[in-house]
Structures are given as structure tokens and as C-alpha cells.
Amino acid sequence: MGFLDFMSSDRALALFEKNHTDQGSRISQALEYEDGNLISGTLEAFIRHIVPTGEYYPDRTYLFAFLLSSRLYIKPYKLLEQVCQLCITQQNLNSTSIDKSSLSNFCSNLMQLLSEWTETFPYDFRDERLMKQLRDITQKCIAINPMLRKTVGQLMQMLIKKLSTLEKYEDVLARVTTAAAERMQSLRTNPEAFQTNIIDICPDPYILAQQLTHIELERLTNIGPEEFVQAFIKEGIDESKVKFRDLKRTKNLEAYVEWFNRLSYLVATEICMHIKKKHRAKLIEYFIEVARECFNIGNFNSLMAIMSGINMSPVMRLRKTWAKVNTQKYDVLEHQMDPSNNWSTYRQSLRAAMQRALSAREGACDRIVIPFFSLLVKDIYFLNEGCSNRLSNGHINFEKFWQLAKQVTVFMTWKNVECPYERDRKALNYLLTAPVFSENSLYLASYESEGPDNAFERDKYKTLKNKAAPSHK
């Protein structure tokens, strides 16, 4: 059973026994509890508390919470180094006269710990120092209990597979970025070639919503849970003096935020690039339908990105265009974007989608929940900022660890859903690589579609034309 199976109820995060073995007794004074729940302690005591023995294995909710947030205080390779050293010292593994039969349970428990670490936080092991430590300690386990050789092989095979998948994903992202840049350059040199729009590629809004869901889930799946915590690591490091492998890694999280921005600007670009207002009105209504289908699917991130694109000033100022749009469905969706009362309307819809997902069968479309990601990151950020890392006695505030783990665990259930829809490669390629205007280019296209309405807009239009001469994007 994995971490997530133990994190399902609200209180499960905070329940585990205080003294499983003598090891628990030795460190109990360095850990503080309240009503049976761990609330604070020293880093050393927390590290000792994850180290297994033959009779003791750490509670999995504690293990997940600690492995997730401990990186705020100690680098993962340093943590594994200390865990391995404690294991070697406590079990006297370097002795030439150890009783191998008495260490069988310990080795099995240690392998379980390493399996859960590599399964839930595989990206930690992109650091070659962790990989070396992992190989060294697992070889010691095999030397003590040869029956573990198959278990070790499976662990390493699964870990390498996950890291290989991540590398392939990052390579695809890089190639998509390059392709998008090349298409943008082609537009600059030959604007007439840019005649196709999204409706030509995918006339059915429901199909486009499905393709957006493919992109969203692919990006969600490749975000490591630790990236949320690593995003809190303070800036200001002199990167020239620090090896790359020591820097915080939030690459996949950042790529997902960039995708939201791209989709918003793509929507605005598709609308503003057309000279005829009937085409612009048709595209606005098309994207409203796509957003509506995203809402029905449970894809709130694409919904919010599309609505953000429609609500950009270069689009909203097109009054003649909007006069031809049936805005009834737009008004309903706009209500979902209402940020008042801390986004209460959206949060209510999200809870309904989560409830629907809980009762859905495996592989069903109803299992999809894709949150408004920027708000999720903001919630976790404010949770981090609102809780102190240390208490007045110098102890680490573990209640904060529990809360962070609870938030990230919910995210992990969302990201582990497979997309049930068929892929439309032509539509996917267009969504990922179609040229996207900058904000200035959007304004320029908007003014060229519907002329400036006032002195401010006329001045802005004149300035933008001068900057764009002899041509704009």
C-alpha cells in the first residue's frame, strides 16, 4: 500500500504511534506531541524517526510529510546520507561478524522505505549522489539477505523507468518550444501564410476541450510533488558558485504555468488576428463553447485560461464584435471566474467535481479533476508563508508539514488520472505550436480590426505602429 492510501481522511495525516520500539523512546524527548499528534521536534529527531529497525517502520503519513517538506531544511542527498549512516551505525552493518539472520526484517523494512521514497519522489534521484547512496545501501541489504536481490532489481528498474519518462517529456517540451518559435518566425517573414485558425483545425468545441485535457493531464502528471515545496526555497543563491544539481528544481511546475499563459494568449490571438468582425464573433462563441465543455469535463485550468484570453483588453474593447456575440453562456462562465470571497464559486464547483470523481469508476471521464493551477499554487504558497518554519523553542513546526502534505496529496490524486479521450494529433500540434502574439501585437491587431475609440487609444495605436514599423508580429 502506498502513501496515498493512508492519506484519505482529514485526520489520517496526524495519527501515528509515538513509541514503536526503543528507538522511539530514545528520541521521544526531542519530539513533541499534542493529543497524540506530532507537532514539533528537532531535525535530528525527525530523521531518526524515519529510520527503520527490525521491529519498527515509520508511519507512512509521517514519512510522506517529512520527505516532502524536509528539503526546506536539508538537501535530499544529505538526508539519505544521514539515514544510511544511522542504519549502518545502529545495525552495525560494517562489522565482519554480523548475524545476518537477525537483520532480515531490518533489511526488508529498509527496502520498503527506499521503495516508497523512489516511488513518490523519484526526481530526487536525478542527483547522482542519491543514486550512489541508493546503490551502496541496497547492495549491503543484498549481502545480508540475497533474497532481496529481486526486490532491489525491481526498485531500480521502476526508478530508471520513471526518470527516463521524465527525460523524454522534457525533451518533448523543448522540441515543442522550438517548433512554436519557428512558426512565429515564419509568421513574421510571411504574414500571408498565417491563414488557418483553430476552427479550421478542430471545428468541434467538445473535441478541442478533450485535446486541452490531454495537454493538461500530461503536464500535471510530470510535476513532482516536491516541486511545490522547492518553490519556497528562498532565492538569492549565487548560481555561479553552486553546482546545478544543488539548485531548486521547479521546471515542470513552471512549464505548466507557462502553458496556462500560452493558452490565454492563443485564444486572444485567434480572435484578434481576423479583420472581419463576423469571424471574430464566431471565434469568441467557439471559445465560449470550448470553455463550457472544459467545465463539464472538470478541466478548470483550461476553462480559466480560455476565459482569461477572452477577457484580455485587446479582445474586450472590440465592441462591434461583441455586439454580434450571444453572451448568455459567457456570463455563466464569467461567474465561475469571480474572484470574490476567495474564489468561492470556483471552489464550490471544484468540490463538486472532486465528489463526482470519488464515485466514478476507474477509467471513467468523471474521474478528471484539473484544478485552476495558479490558485492551487497560491493556496500552498500562503499556507507556507502563513505558518512559521520554527517555533520559539527552535523546534521545526511539524504541523506545517502536515498541512503541506495534505494539500499536495490531493493534487497527487488528480495528477494520477489517465486521460480517456482519443488524441487528435493535428489539434494538439496546433494548440502547442501555433503562433501567439505578444500583448503589444494583440493591441495592434485589435486597433487595426476596430479603430481606436478615444485619444488614449489613438496615442497608443500610434506608438505601437511606430515600434512595429515596418511590420509587426
Side-chain angles (χ1 to χ4, degrees):
M1 190 177 290
F3 290 126
L4 297 179
D5 299 303
F6 290 86
M7 304 279 288
S8 57
S9 70
D10 285 347
R11 299 305 301 163
L13 278 168
L15 296 175
F16 65 92
E17 296 184 22
K18 293 159 61 173
N19 296 302
H20 291 275
T21 64
D22 291 342
Q23 179 194 15
S25 300
R26 289 196 299 273
I27 65 173
S28 60
Q29 292 182 344
L31 297 176
E32 290 191 6
Y33 296 81
E34 187 176 282
D35 298 328
N37 301 328
L38 179 60
I39 60 170
S40 69
T42 64
L43 180 60
E44 180 187 6
F46 287 134
I47 294 173
R48 287 182 175 275
H49 206 51
I50 70 167
V51 176
T53 67
E55 299 77 31
Y56 165 77
Y57 188 81
D59 180 272
R60 287 178 174 87
T61 57
Y62 166 75
L63 185 58
F64 176 79
F66 182 70
L67 289 178
L68 175 68
S69 295
S70 60
R71 61 198 69 234
L72 290 170
Y73 306 92
I74 183 172
K75 291 186 174 73
Y77 85 92
K78 282 287 188 184
L79 174 60
L80 183 56
E81 182 181 274
Q82 291 193 29
V83 168
C84 291
Q85 191 55 52
L86 283 167
C87 288
I88 291 170
T89 302
Q90 291 174 6
Q91 305 298 328
N92 199 23
L93 297 184
N94 285 336
S95 172
T96 55
S97 58
I98 58 175
D99 182 0
K100 294 184 178 181
S101 61
S102 66
L103 291 174
S104 180
N105 285 343
F106 159 74
C107 288
S108 295
N109 283 340
L110 178 57
M111 285 304 306
Q112 178 66 22
L113 174 70
L114 296 172
S115 294
E116 299 205 33
W117 190 336
T118 55
E119 178 184 340
T120 312
F121 301 96
Y123 299 173
D124 285 348
F125 294 85
R126 298 185 89 179
D127 186 332
E128 62 270 22
R129 293 167 295 191
L130 273 96
M131 286 297 287
K132 182 179 185 305
Q133 292 161 3
L134 180 64
R135 291 190 183 97
D136 289 348
I137 196 67
T138 53
Q139 288 307 307
K140 285 183 181 295
C141 289
I142 291 173
I144 294 168
N145 182 2
M147 296 292 289
L148 291 173
R149 187 179 300 278
K150 182 178 179 181
T151 303
V152 171
Q154 291 172 337
L155 181 154
M156 297 301 295
Q157 186 177 17
M158 287 300 298
L159 176 58
I160 291 169
K161 182 179 179 181
K162 286 190 175 187
L163 295 181
S164 176
T165 299
L166 175 62
E167 287 182 6
K168 290 177 182 177
Y169 166 72
E170 291 178 347
D171 179 60
V172 168
L173 280 186
R175 284 190 279 116
V176 164
T177 300
T178 300
E182 289 174 350
R183 290 194 66 181
M184 192 70 231
Q185 184 59 37
S186 297
L187 172 63
R188 291 192 184 102
T189 56
N190 186 17
E192 288 74 19
F194 191 48
Q195 299 296 329
T196 304
N197 65 48
I198 190 75
I199 298 178
D200 297 330
I201 299 296
C202 185
D204 188 341
Y206 181 51
I207 298 297
L208 192 74
Q210 292 179 345
Q211 303 316 302
L212 289 170
T213 303
H214 267 293
I215 296 171
E216 299 281 354
L217 286 174
E218 181 183 46
R219 277 158 170 70
L220 272 184
T221 299
N222 285 284
I223 297 174
E226 72 283 352
E227 292 190 47
F228 291 100
V229 174
Q230 286 168 182
F232 304 146
I233 296 174
K234 300 301 181 184
E235 302 287 356
I237 299 174
D238 184 354
E239 297 190 8
S240 65
K241 297 180 181 179
V242 182
K243 293 182 179 179
F244 171 76
R245 61 192 180 187
D246 281 334
L247 298 177
K248 69 175 186 177
R249 289 177 176 171
T250 56
K251 188 173 183 179
N252 299 306
L253 188 152
E254 291 167 9
Y256 193 39
V257 173
E258 289 170 4
W259 155 248
F260 180 96
N261 295 333
R262 173 182 168 77
L263 179 54
S264 295
Y265 275 84
L266 176 63
V267 169
T269 299
E270 290 285 315
I271 296 167
C272 289
M273 71 179 184
H274 287 284
I275 298 298
K276 292 185 178 181
K277 60 177 176 286
K278 69 176 182 180
H279 291 157
R280 296 194 298 272
K282 184 179 180 181
L283 277 155
I284 290 174
E285 290 183 340
Y286 173 82
F287 280 119
I288 290 171
E289 283 296 330
V290 175
R292 187 166 168 266
E293 295 296 349
C294 286
F295 176 82
N296 293 335
I297 288 172
N299 180 356
F300 296 102
N301 202 56
S302 288
L303 161 67
M304 294 296 188
I306 291 168
M307 295 301 289
S308 294
I310 293 173
N311 284 336
M312 283 186 180
S313 295
V315 177
M316 293 304 294
R317 66 166 298 277
L318 299 170
R319 288 199 295 272
K320 294 177 183 177
T321 302
W322 280 97
K324 292 184 170 292
V325 175
N326 182 347
T327 59
Q328 187 175 358
K329 293 176 183 177
Y330 168 82
D331 293 337
V332 173
L333 294 172
E334 181 75 356
H335 182 59
Q336 289 295 321
M337 283 191 66
D338 184 1
S340 62
N341 298 318
N342 193 22
W343 298 85
S344 60
T345 304
Y346 157 72
R347 292 183 191 278
Q348 185 176 356
S349 298
L350 178 64
R351 285 193 294 271
M354 291 169 63
Q355 194 62 41
R356 180 184 67 185
L358 284 174
S359 58
R361 70 182 188 279
E362 189 72 27
C365 301
D366 286 347
R367 293 193 69 231
I368 296 172
V369 180
I370 302 173
F372 178 21
F373 192 69
S374 295
L375 187 59
L376 172 65
V377 172
K378 182 181 177 182
D379 286 344
I380 296 176
Y381 173 80
F382 280 114
L383 172 60
N384 177 67
E385 292 296 306
C387 299
S388 59
N389 287 337
R390 293 187 184 271
L391 305 180
S392 57
N393 63 359
H395 277 192
I396 291 173
N397 179 10
F398 207 81
E399 286 186 297
K400 177 176 178 176
F401 280 27
W402 290 131
Q403 292 303 315
L404 287 172
K406 182 178 177 180
Q407 289 264 28
V408 173
T409 298
V410 174
F411 160 79
M412 291 176 71
T413 62
W414 294 335
K415 80 166 195 157
N416 289 332
V417 174
E418 287 191 18
C419 189
Y421 305 118
E422 289 186 18
R423 288 179 176 270
D424 183 328
R425 297 198 175 278
K426 196 173 181 181
L428 286 169
N429 183 61
Y430 191 89
L431 288 167
L432 293 168
T433 65
V436 170
F437 288 175
S438 67
E439 186 174 3
N440 283 346
S441 294
L442 284 172
Y443 270 111
L444 194 54
S446 178
Y447 291 140
E448 290 173 351
S449 296
E450 294 186 21
D453 290 329
N454 51 54
F456 173 80
E457 288 192 346
R458 284 191 289 272
D459 288 343
K460 185 167 187 175
Y461 182 34
K462 183 178 179 180
T463 301
L464 290 173
K465 280 205 300 184
N466 290 335
K467 284 183 178 179
S471 64
H472 68 276
K473 289 182 181 180

